[in-house]
Amino acid sequence: MISVRDLNVRFGPSVAVSNVSFDVATGESFGLVGESGSGKSTILRTMMGLNTDWSGTISIDGLDTSTTHRRDLARRVQMVFQDPYASLHPRYAIGQAIAEPLHINGVANAERRTVELLELIGLGDKFRFRFPHELSGGQRQRVAIARALALEPKILLLDEPTSALDVSIQAEILNLLNQLRSEAWTDLCHCQP
Ligand SMILES: Nc1ncnc2c1ncn2[C@@H]1O[C@H](COP(=O)(O)OP(=O)(O)O)[C@@H](O)[C@H]1O
Ligand SMILES: [Mg+2]
């Protein structure tokens, strides 16, 4: 599902990622571990097309990311960033934030789908009209996860999704991710002949 080969990423004269290769199979959970500043976020951001100065090959679901249109990748891979406060637009109500990728990609019934996504992350319809500053950190990260799941991507890249949250909330988010993953895996198994 993911194949990264000989990835090198530079920021001006400095090398942030040097010769990284790894593969992730369908249905697999893969953890990228390394000390702070070792390049984990840079690898994920490069996979999402958010860095320009890189070499090597990144293939996602068989597609070469350097020659595939952003829109085609958006349905395959989405990312949840470390800090949900920074990744949600402060003037977008939660419902708008979740519906935005649906609108951009011309998905029908965006409103119904938004309500379904709010249910899925355990927040419910009433959160649709609230703004990010009216939510707790854990609730905001749930919204970021719902937004990332809106287009039903095959791959979810999670960049330390709990590290900006209180310890008491971290388990809540990890439980949600485990639950989503087992549901997705069940769906996947049903699809096989
Ligand atoms: N936008 C950027 N401009 C310049 N240097 C950056 C940028 N983003 C990350 N870096 C540098 O790249 C290296 C890897 O950073 P990062 O990928 O954030 O590490 P990690 O996520 O493992 O903590 C660090 O040395 C960091 O300072
Ligand atoms: Mg990081």
Side-chain angles (χ1 to χ4, degrees), residues 36-37 39-42 82 159-160:
S36 180
K40 305 179 297 294
S41 298
T42 301
Q82 192 160 7
D159 190 2
E160 302 195 50

Side-chain angles (χ1 to χ4, degrees), residues 111-129:
E111 195 161 331
R112 184 172 51 77
R113 181 88 185 109
T114 299
V115 175
E116 283 172 6
L117 284 159
L118 279 166
E119 296 294 339
L120 183 71
I121 54 157
L123 286 185
D125 192 24
K126 64 181 189 298
F127 279 84
R128 215 153 30 119
F129 306 104

Side-chain angles (χ1 to χ4, degrees), residues 126-189:
K126 64 181 189 298
F127 279 84
R128 215 153 30 119
F129 306 104
R130 292 215 203 163
F131 288 87
H133 73 271
E134 297 173 310
L135 269 59
S136 72
Q139 289 171 334
R140 276 198 291 270
Q141 196 58 300
R142 282 172 182 267
V143 172
I145 292 168
R147 188 180 144 92
L149 292 175
L151 295 174
E152 300 183 74
K154 294 182 172 182
I155 301 164
L156 198 53
L157 302 179
L158 300 154
D159 190 2
E160 302 195 50
T162 62
S163 63
L165 305 175
D166 291 346
V167 174
S168 59
I169 313 282
Q170 290 183 358
E172 181 193 302
I173 295 295
L174 293 175
N175 286 339
L176 172 68
L177 290 170
N178 261 335
Q179 175 207 325
L180 293 171
R181 184 168 172 272
S182 61
E183 283 166 11
W185 185 234
T186 310
D187 287 350
L188 193 69
C189 293

